[in-house]
């Protein structure tokens, strides 16, 4: 693998840092824990190191790769395995559900080692459009901390709440920058998102996330300032009931409390 990869001209603009560590590949595979009769979507398979391991689980694997130059690796896999298909397109622009309708499966997995500059866009699209049963994602360590962040920490933000609303998130492993070719500037982490089966219930999810985003809009401002467009009296009544008030900042409310606040605002009290 190392010899072959040295001849490939990696494009920094596409975040092409390829994983070159068998130990980490195995950890990702074991940590993802893929059930039989599943469909696995891989975003950005690169030269196919992880792809081949996913294919060997005997599930169907559907990969989306933007760089057609990688066909020198991926087409060989397609010829070798009937359960693998690669689509050369931008994952962010593709109508993924059109491809999914061609498969029958019990569980949907998404696995991705994604370029850092489009991390949020990819996570949003995976959750919003695919909502897989399980999503294993390798991302920059700092972003990982934000996604797993708990209230009253610097990293806690509206993206943390969006991900945690649908998924229980756990860490599979840390990945040193030395595990990649070429070596990136930052260390990474592999996270596993497990669907939490509607643990949190709200009448309208878009409205709920608008409330959350507004609350975090200006991080240093308090709820009174960030939630001006809502009924502040009602918000204050709710906050008092949980021993808080409008001077609190968004980062001081848990996901449970945001859900209760939203539901209270929508109630007839
Ligand atoms: N999965 C491989 C690995 O772990 O070695 C490659 C990971 S590399 C960090 C990111 C991969 O995503 C590259 O192959 C790159 O060409 C691809 N990529 C970048 N932007 C993409 C996009 N918008 N849609 C699909 N693939 C993309």
């Amino acid at each position: 693998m190392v010899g072959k990869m040295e001849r490939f001209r990696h494009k920094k603009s596409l975040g092409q840092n390829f994983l070159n560590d068998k130990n980490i590949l195995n950890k990702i595979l074991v940590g993802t824990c893929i059930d039989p009769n599943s469909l696995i979507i891989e975003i950005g398979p690169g030269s196919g190191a992880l792809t081949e391991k996913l294919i060997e689980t005997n599930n169907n694997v559907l990969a989306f790769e933007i760089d057609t130059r990688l066909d020198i690796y991926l087409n060989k896999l397609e010829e070798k395995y009937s359960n693998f298909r690669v689509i050369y397109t931008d994952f962010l622009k593709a109508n993924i559900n059109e491809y999914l309708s061609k498969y029958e499966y019990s569980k949907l997995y998404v696995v991705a080692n994604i370029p850092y500059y489009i991390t949020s866009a990819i996570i949003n699209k995976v959750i919003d459009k695919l909502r897989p049963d399980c999503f294993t994602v390798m991302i920059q360590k700092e972003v990982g901390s934000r996604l797993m962040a708990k209230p009253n920490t610097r990293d806690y933000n509206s993206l943390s709440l969006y991900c945690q609303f649908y998924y229980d998130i756990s860490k599979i492993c840390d990945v040193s920058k030395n595990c990649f070719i070429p070596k990136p500037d930052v260390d990474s982490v592999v996270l596993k998102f497990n669907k939490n089966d509607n643990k949190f219930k709200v009448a309208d999810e878009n409205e709920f996330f608008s409330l959350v985003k507004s609350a975090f809009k200006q991080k240093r401002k308090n709820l009174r300032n960030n939630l001006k467009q809502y009924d502040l009296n009602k918000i204050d009544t709710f906050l008092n009931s949980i021993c808080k008030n409008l001077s609190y900042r968004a980062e001081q409310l848990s996901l449970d409390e945001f859900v209760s606040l939203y539901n209270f605002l929508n109630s007839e009290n």
Side-chain angles (χ1 to χ4, degrees):
M1 167 69 74
V2 176
K4 271 203 293 179
M5 288 317 308
E6 274 164 2
R7 287 196 295 277
F8 180 80
R9 286 171 66 90
H10 297 80
K11 276 194 188 166
K12 208 174 174 185
S13 62
L14 292 178
Q16 289 181 336
N17 304 97
F18 294 162
L19 191 55
N20 189 42
D21 185 304
K22 282 193 178 140
N23 187 27
I24 300 291
L25 288 171
N26 280 328
K27 281 188 180 170
I28 295 175
L29 193 72
V30 172
T32 302
C33 197
I34 301 166
D35 286 351
N37 198 27
S38 296
L39 173 63
I40 307 167
I41 293 183
E42 188 184 10
I43 308 166
S47 61
L50 179 60
T51 318
E52 189 152 17
K53 295 210 165 285
L54 298 172
I55 294 170
E56 284 168 355
T57 65
N58 287 325
N59 289 290
N60 282 315
V61 178
L62 174 63
F64 292 88
E65 172 55 63
I66 199 168
D67 188 351
T68 51
R69 296 175 310 141
L70 288 161
D71 65 359
I72 49 170
Y73 307 105
L74 301 172
N75 288 1
K76 280 193 195 125
L77 289 179
E78 234 180 1
E79 281 159 27
K80 190 169 167 194
Y81 299 101
S82 60
N83 59 329
F84 176 57
R85 187 170 172 214
V86 55
I87 313 286
Y88 294 99
T89 187
D90 182 340
F91 174 80
L92 291 174
K93 293 189 182 144
N95 178 1
I96 312 292
N97 287 307
E98 177 192 314
Y99 298 100
L100 290 198
S101 59
K102 301 193 172 91
Y103 292 89
E104 275 183 19
Y105 52 90
S106 310
K107 277 192 170 179
L108 180 64
Y109 289 74
V110 175
V111 180
N113 169 10
I114 52 185
Y116 298 144
Y117 62 96
I118 46 172
T119 303
S120 302
I122 289 194
I123 289 176
N124 273 304
K125 178 156 182 179
V126 168
I127 296 182
D128 192 33
K129 302 281 183 238
L130 296 175
R131 196 74 49 81
D133 296 284
C134 179
F135 178 28
T136 299
V137 63
M138 185 184 303
I139 45 180
Q140 190 177 339
K141 211 169 175 175
E142 286 68 25
V143 180
S145 306
R146 273 181 238 142
L147 299 189
M148 294 184 75
K150 296 291 169 220
N152 297 309
T153 62
R154 201 173 41 116
D155 286 332
Y156 187 65
N157 65 16
S158 56
L159 184 61
S160 332
L161 283 162
Y162 177 63
C163 295
Q164 293 171 25
F165 184 86
Y166 298 107
Y167 290 92
D168 294 328
I169 307 174
S170 57
K171 180 162 92 174
I172 292 182
C173 60
D174 289 312
V175 188
S176 152
K177 53 187 156 202
N178 297 317
C179 299
F180 298 91
I181 294 177
K183 184 168 148 178
D185 297 330
V186 291
D187 291 323
S188 297
V189 64
V190 183
L191 299 184
K192 179 175 169 177
F193 289 45
N194 254 326
K195 202 149 85 179
N196 68 18
D197 293 323
N198 302 326
K199 190 155 75 181
F200 302 103
K201 296 208 183 350
V202 292
D204 183 320
E205 291 173 6
N206 289 333
E207 271 180 23
F208 171 68
F209 291 117
S210 294
L211 171 75
V212 171
K213 272 195 196 140
S214 301
F216 279 94
K217 198 165 182 189
Q218 289 183 277
K219 255 209 129 184
R220 308 187 106 190
K221 292 206 166 171
N222 62 23
L223 294 169
R224 180 181 289 105
N225 285 303
N226 279 337
L227 294 179
K228 272 189 183 131
Q229 70 273 43
Y230 293 89
D231 181 342
L232 285 178
N233 283 335
K234 215 165 170 183
I235 294 177
D236 197 34
T237 304
F238 169 79
L239 291 171
N240 292 340
S241 75
I242 57 166
C243 302
K244 296 186 177 176
N245 58 56
L246 287 166
S247 307
Y248 276 62
R249 290 201 300 267
E251 70 203 39
Q252 295 172 287
L253 294 195
S254 68
L255 176 51
D256 263 322
E257 287 168 344
F258 266 112
V259 169
S260 303
L261 169 61
Y262 169 82
N263 287 334
F264 185 76
L265 283 175
N266 279 286
S267 67
E268 281 162 18
N269 301 345

